[in-house]
Amino acid sequence: MKAIVHAEKDGFDGLSLCEVEEKTPKAGEVRVKLKAAGLNHRDLFVVLNRHKHTDPPLIVGSDGAGVVDAIGEGVTSVKIGDEVMINPSLGWKEKSDAPPVGFDILGHPTDGTFSEKIVVPAENVVTKPAYLTWEEAGVLSLAALTAYRALFTRGKVQSGMKVLIPGIGSGVATFMLQFAKAAGATVYVTSRSKEKGEKALEIGADKAIDSNGDWDMELNGEKMDLIIDCVGAATINKSLKQLRQGGTIVTFGSSTGDMIQLNLREFFYGQFNLLGSTMGSGEEYKEMIAFMEKYQIRPVVDQVFPLEQYKEAFSRLETGKQLGKIGFYIG
Ligand SMILES: NC(=O)c1ccc[n+]([C@@H]2O[C@H](COP(=O)([O-])OP(=O)(O)OC[C@H]3O[C@@H](n4cnc5c(N)ncnc54)[C@H](OP(=O)(O)O)[C@@H]3O)[C@@H](O)[C@H]2O)c1
């Protein structure tokens, strides 16, 4: 079968589309013939930083959807022919304060979804809602799950809240915008791109402001109940300035850098809450899919490539041209 493999060289030079051997599911596992897969910022980190040429070859990718084509011994929850989406959160079943020891994400260190077939634990596949196309189902798992936990479990978003989402170009951010609107919040977003801001307004944002502009002026003194900032160093202090006293800021990403300076006095006088979040559990994954189905939420799909065009797909993500999800169609 064909797969996008990272091997022998570090960075993008180590990526190639090649023939690899199909695997057979062991007890408790299923094999999925993939129809579509999705790219995440994590795939860039894996290829550029985490997976080294000295490591065994790795099939990249965390998101995917397809049809079950083989099941291992003892699997009763799914059968051959079922249309499923893959939850990339490995070893984290129930909602909890943090993932348990042994938690991992599909696509590093274990083989991922940029492949014609994949073997995963049966507990990691969930029935694909019929209203989603294969491409929509294939691109959503990691980003939508992260958005769901950050917004609901950690941020405790509620109807009537004012929510600010910096960097709306991010795949996770577009889900947060859709989820927060469905939950009844007023949602403001920022972007460096006027065009992405305009698209966000079409998706439902109540206001889109320039990430590089003067947020005090653009928000006209309005303060936020909840801010979910995954841009990191470039925006976190601007975000904090827009939080109401006692408000909450959730972070789960730092695309522009991990290190920040924090004015502690302003922080404690403001009685602010700063929460970390990461991915989500199997329980949250199921809740998230039910929520999406209830509100008929469709992922914002930026562009979908065949596996052969993996270089173009990675380059689009690396240069940040996308709004929403970049995907691969496979079968
Ligand atoms: N912890 C987890 O479980 C988890 C899961 C998923 C993602 N993440 C992290 O969350 C982050 C978002 O991931 P992603 O794949 O959705 O998106 P991404 O491609 O990293 O996009 C981040 C967004 O940040 C904005 N941005 C980038 N550079 C900026 C700058 N210099 N100034 C202002 N804004 C800037 C851009 O928005 P505009 O183009 O609109 O300006 C961009 O679209 C990443 O850091 C990722 O690693 C973490």
Side-chain angles (χ1 to χ4, degrees), residues 41 45 146 167 169-172 191-192 196 252 255-256 278-279 322:
H41 208 99
F45 288 146
T146 305
S170 136
V172 188
S191 181
R192 297 160 300 169
K196 288 186 193 181
F252 59 84
S255 298
T256 58
T278 204
M279 288 287 284
Q322 81 285 1

Side-chain angles (χ1 to χ4, degrees), residues 39-234:
L39 263 172
N40 290 287
H41 208 99
R42 179 175 196 271
D43 304 314
L44 273 181
F45 288 146
V46 166
V47 168
L48 297 178
N49 304 319
R50 291 193 202 157
H51 186 257
K52 301 292 176 200
H53 68 278
T54 43
D55 297 334
L58 174 80
I59 301 174
V60 191
S62 299
D63 288 342
V67 179
V68 174
D69 86 332
I71 55 172
E73 208 188 305
V75 173
T76 53
S77 53
V78 278
K79 56 184 188 314
I80 291 173
D82 282 359
E83 299 189 344
V84 295
M85 295 168 49
I86 297 169
N87 169 14
S89 196
L90 302 173
W92 187 5
K93 282 193 208 169
E94 277 100 33
K95 216 188 280 187
S96 52
D97 286 349
V101 176
F103 161 72
D104 241 319
I105 301 174
L106 197 66
H108 185 261
T110 51
D111 279 339
T113 53
F114 299 165
S115 170
E116 289 181 304
K117 292 185 181 182
I118 185 169
V119 171
V120 289
E123 68 190 29
N124 282 76
V125 300
V126 171
T127 306
K128 174 181 99 62
Y131 80 96
L132 292 175
T133 65
W134 280 115
E135 286 163 11
E136 289 167 342
V139 300
L140 75 80
S141 287
L142 187 147
L145 176 59
T146 305
Y148 187 86
R149 181 172 167 89
L151 198 59
F152 292 97
T153 312
R154 304 292 282 155
K156 301 203 175 358
V157 71
Q158 279 178 11
S159 179
M161 273 186 169
K162 282 184 191 161
V163 178
L164 177 67
I165 306 171
I168 196 59
S170 136
V172 188
T174 49
F175 282 113
M176 283 190 300
L177 164 58
Q178 292 172 298
F179 293 176
K181 284 306 297 179
T186 299
V187 185
Y188 299 152
V189 304
T190 84
S191 181
R192 297 160 300 169
S193 144
K194 198 162 186 285
E195 198 192 348
K196 288 186 193 181
E198 278 160 12
K199 281 195 192 152
L201 294 173
E202 283 167 29
I203 297 165
D206 294 281
K207 192 181 272 190
I209 66 175
D210 179 359
S211 296
N212 295 319
D214 180 342
W215 296 12
D216 289 334
M217 203 180 73
E218 300 226 41
L219 291 173
N220 206 16
E222 244 182 299
K223 295 293 175 194
M224 303 295 128
D225 299 297
L226 175 64
I227 301 179
I228 314 233
D229 189 316
C230 66
V231 177

Side-chain angles (χ1 to χ4, degrees), residues 229-238 253-260:
D229 189 316
C230 66
V231 177
T235 53
I236 198 92
N237 273 306
K238 286 174 103 170
S254 48
S255 298
T256 58
D258 295 345
M259 303 307 287
I260 60 157

Side-chain angles (χ1 to χ4, degrees), residues 292-311:
M292 288 186 73
E293 199 163 8
K294 180 174 174 193
Y295 293 99
Q296 297 284 296
I297 295 171
R298 292 175 178 280
V300 177
V301 180
D302 174 78
Q303 208 171 328
V304 183
F305 297 86
L307 283 180
E308 287 74 13
Q309 288 179 16
Y310 65 88
K311 284 185 186 157

